[in-house]
Amino acid sequence: MATVTSTRPYHIIIFGASGFTGQFVVEEVARSAFEGPSGSLKWALAGRSRQRLDGVLNQAAETLRKPELRTEVEIIVADVSEADSLAIMCQQGLVVLNCVGPYRFYGEPVVKACIENGAHCIDICGEPQFLERMQLEYHSRAMDSGVYVIGSCGFDSIPADMGILYTKDQFKGTLTAVESFLTIHTGPEGGCAHDGTWQSAIYGFADSGSLRKLRKKFGHQPLPVVGAKVKKRGSLFFSKEIDQYAIPFMGSDPSVVRRSQRFLYEGHQELPVQYSAYVGVGGVWSLIKMFCGGLLFWFLGKFGLGRKLLITFPEFFSFGVFTKAGPSRKQMEGTSFSLTFFGEGYAEGLDPSQGRPNARICTQIHGAEPGYVATPVAMVQAAITVLNEPQFLPIKGGVYSPGAAFARTTLIDRLNRHGLVFSVKRF
C-alpha cells in the first residue's frame, strides 16, 4: 500500500464537486486557499463529468469574483464505479474531500482507494452504519498506511463532537454529563434541505437492524458512567432550556460523540462524558406537522414501495423540509443554527463518585446555515488542520471520528475564525 507523501501535485482534491453540497465546498476551498501549507493551497476538482465540473468552477469564479479559478484549478475525471480512476485521483492529492453520498452506497470505494494510494480521506457523512463499518473494516489498514480517514466532518458531527470537547475544556472540575439542544432559525424566505440527506435517513431507518449487529462485532465493553447517571428524556417534551418542544436528535451526533469519548478514554485515560442530543421542533403547529410526517416516514420506510414513494416525493412527505432542488442562496443567507450544551459535573477537588453533581456549565455554538454553509466550513477547516497540524493528530493513521482526530489541534480556533463561534453562556 502507498503512504502519504508531500510531493503530490495537490493538497486537496474535492471529489463529487458538482453535487449540491460539493459546489459549496468548492467555493469554501477557494476562500480558504491562503490557509494552506506555506500560505497557499493547490487543489483540484474531481467527478464523473468534466462538463459539470467546468460549470461548477465557472460558477465559483463568478460568485467569488475570482476569474483566475478558471485557469488555476485543475479537473480530474473519476467515477466511484471505476476503481482505476479513483486510484489515479488519490495518487495526486494529500487529502480527498469526499462529497459523494449516500455513503452507504458510494463511500467505501473512496475510502479503500485513499488507503491503498496514500491519500487522507475526509467526508461529511451522517450515516452511523457507514461510519462505524469503515472503522471496523479499515482502521488497521489505514494505520498501516499512515492514512487518516475522518468521517462526519460537516454539520454532522463536528459541532457536537468538538462542542463536547470545548465544554469539557471550559468546565472547572470534572464534567460528567452534557445535553445538547439544536435550534434552526430561518428568515423570511423560509428554509429547506436537499433531498440527499432525506435519502440517507430513509435507507438508514430501513436498515437499522444491521447497525445493531455491526456494533456487536466490535466487542466493546460499556463505557464507565462517571458521576450520577443521567436519565434520558422522553420522545417528546417541552424544553425550558430552549422554550419549545423538543425530540431526541435522530442524526449521527450521539454515535459519533460516543466513538470519540471511547477513543479518548481508552487511548488517553480521559473520563468519558454522558451525552444526550435533542432538537427543537417549535410550537404546536410544527409539532402537528412533525407528528404526521414522522408517522408517514415510519410506515412507508418499512417496505420497498413506501421507500420509493418517500424518495420520489420528498417535498410532499417531509412537508417541505427536504426538496430535490435544495435551498436557494437567499434561503441560506437567512438561515442559522444554535447548538447549546448544558453540562453538569463536580467542582475541582471533589470526587465524582461521591454525591450528586454540584457544578454546571452552558456553552453554545452559533453559525450560519448548517447544511451548505457551516458544513463546507467545517469540512475544509478539518482538511486544512490535517495539512497544517499532522503532529497533533493521533500518532498513526486510522479511521477516526472528528473528536478523536482533532482533540489536540487548533480546529476549534479555526472554526471560530470562520463563523462557527464557540462561547460560554450564563444559565
Side-chain angles (χ1 to χ4, degrees), residues 1-6 8 87 90-96 111-121 142 145-148:
M1 288 191 232
T3 55
V4 176
T5 170
S6 60
R8 301 183 177 208
C90 292
Q91 288 163 11
Q92 298 180 68
L94 291 175
V95 180
V96 171
V111 169
K112 187 171 183 288
C114 283
I115 293 172
E116 291 178 348
N117 296 281
H120 304 305
C121 182
S145 296
V147 167
Y148 293 97

Side-chain angles (χ1 to χ4, degrees), residues 243-320:
D243 195 32
Q244 60 180 276
Y245 288 98
I247 60 172
F249 182 67
M250 304 302 289
S252 62
D253 288 358
S255 66
V256 170
V257 169
R258 188 163 53 246
R259 288 171 56 213
S260 294
Q261 292 299 303
R262 181 174 293 280
F263 172 81
L264 295 171
Y265 171 68
E266 294 179 348
H268 299 274
Q269 290 72 56
E270 293 189 17
L271 294 177
V273 175
Q274 301 171 66
Y275 177 60
S276 300
Y278 304 98
V279 57
V281 295
V284 174
W285 175 236
S286 298
L287 198 60
I288 292 170
K289 288 197 296 183
M290 185 209 70
F291 177 79
C292 294
L295 201 60
L296 283 170
F297 186 93
W298 176 83
F299 176 71
L300 294 174
K302 286 181 171 292
F303 55 94
L305 178 59
R307 290 192 290 274
K308 187 175 181 180
L309 287 170
L310 289 171
I311 290 168
T312 306
F313 305 105
E315 191 165 358
F316 175 78
F317 288 110
S318 71
F319 291 88

Side-chain angles (χ1 to χ4, degrees), residues 357-374:
N358 69 337
R360 297 189 298 166
I361 187 173
C362 177
T363 63
Q364 187 177 80
I365 304 172
H366 181 78
E369 193 279 334
Y372 315 104
V373 179

